[in-house]
Amino acid sequence: MKIDIEKTLLNKIYDLPSLKSAVTYWQKEGKKVIFTNGVFDLLHIGHITYLAKASELGDKLIIGLNADSSVKRIKGEDRPVNDQNNRAALLAALFFVDAVVVFDEDTPLNLITTLMPDVLVKGADYSVENIVGAKEVIANGGEVKTISFVEGYSSTSIIEKIRKQIT
């Protein structure tokens, strides 16, 4: 059996209206929907570990992915290294990721309030009070969780290491 990789990956990359329909369906089926977000520029073991742990908190893992324009505003003009289509495809390729949605705003508040996940997840470098959308998810009966990072891994540190080796 031959797998059509492009079709398989594209089936996990959604626009917001389509994802809202999917979330509504999943929740009606009794599935627990988890949401996290980020840039995920250079995918590394820290990302994989974080996302795998997030997926264990429920049944369906959604990743809100910062669009290229958003990344430039947040991280600077030389980022992202990989464009949003490549980053989305890499995330969609992970077996424990059920959906990827790209957003252009600086925060995922609109995504969160539209999708109303059952569990909102961020890294443990955030406190619950400072997590965008936490108040809204909790008010809707959901949970907010934090997950510790794998020490020593970040896209920024990898980019700096590469730059040092080039110069």
Side-chain angles (χ1 to χ4, degrees):
M1 177 170 97
K2 185 177 179 194
I3 297 173
D4 183 345
I5 297 295
E6 197 167 294
K7 181 180 175 189
T8 301
L9 297 181
L10 291 178
N11 284 340
K12 291 169 86 176
I13 300 170
Y14 290 78
D15 61 19
L16 186 53
S18 299
L19 185 54
K20 175 62 180 166
S21 296
V23 167
T24 299
Y25 176 78
W26 293 335
Q27 288 174 328
K28 281 182 182 173
E29 282 191 318
K31 304 286 187 202
K32 190 182 239 186
V33 175
I34 312 122
F35 178 90
T36 193
N37 67 283
V39 173
F40 303 101
D41 197 1
L42 297 177
L43 204 55
H44 54 70
I45 194 64
H47 288 138
I48 300 299
T49 303
Y50 168 80
L51 293 171
K53 287 180 181 178
S55 75
E56 293 171 358
L57 298 172
D59 303 302
K60 297 287 186 178
L61 176 60
I62 298 169
I63 300 174
L65 182 67
N66 289 79
D68 293 347
S69 56
S70 172
V71 176
K72 286 186 184 312
R73 289 191 303 273
I74 295 166
K75 302 266 186 188
E77 279 301 312
D78 59 343
R79 297 283 297 276
V81 172
N82 289 306
D83 70 38
Q84 65 195 38
N85 294 330
N86 288 327
R87 292 181 290 123
L90 286 170
L91 291 168
L94 300 173
F95 72 91
F96 46 78
V97 172
D98 296 285
V100 178
V101 60
V102 177
F103 67 99
D104 191 41
E105 300 85 5
D106 291 345
T107 75
L109 185 59
N110 181 53
L111 284 181
I112 294 165
T113 57
T114 300
L115 300 174
M116 277 305 171
D118 301 297
V119 183
L120 176 60
V121 182
K122 283 301 282 180
D125 55 331
Y126 286 85
S127 60
V128 173
E129 311 73 64
N130 296 328
I131 296 174
V132 170
K135 178 178 64 172
E136 291 81 359
V137 169
I138 292 168
N140 195 51
E143 304 173 84
V144 179
K145 304 276 189 181
T146 59
I147 296 175
S148 297
F149 288 123
V150 176
E151 287 297 317
Y153 292 94
S154 76
S155 295
T156 301
S157 67
I158 293 169
I159 292 166
E160 288 172 6
K161 184 177 180 181
I162 292 168
R163 285 187 178 138
K164 285 180 186 174
Q165 290 177 352
I166 292 173
T167 57

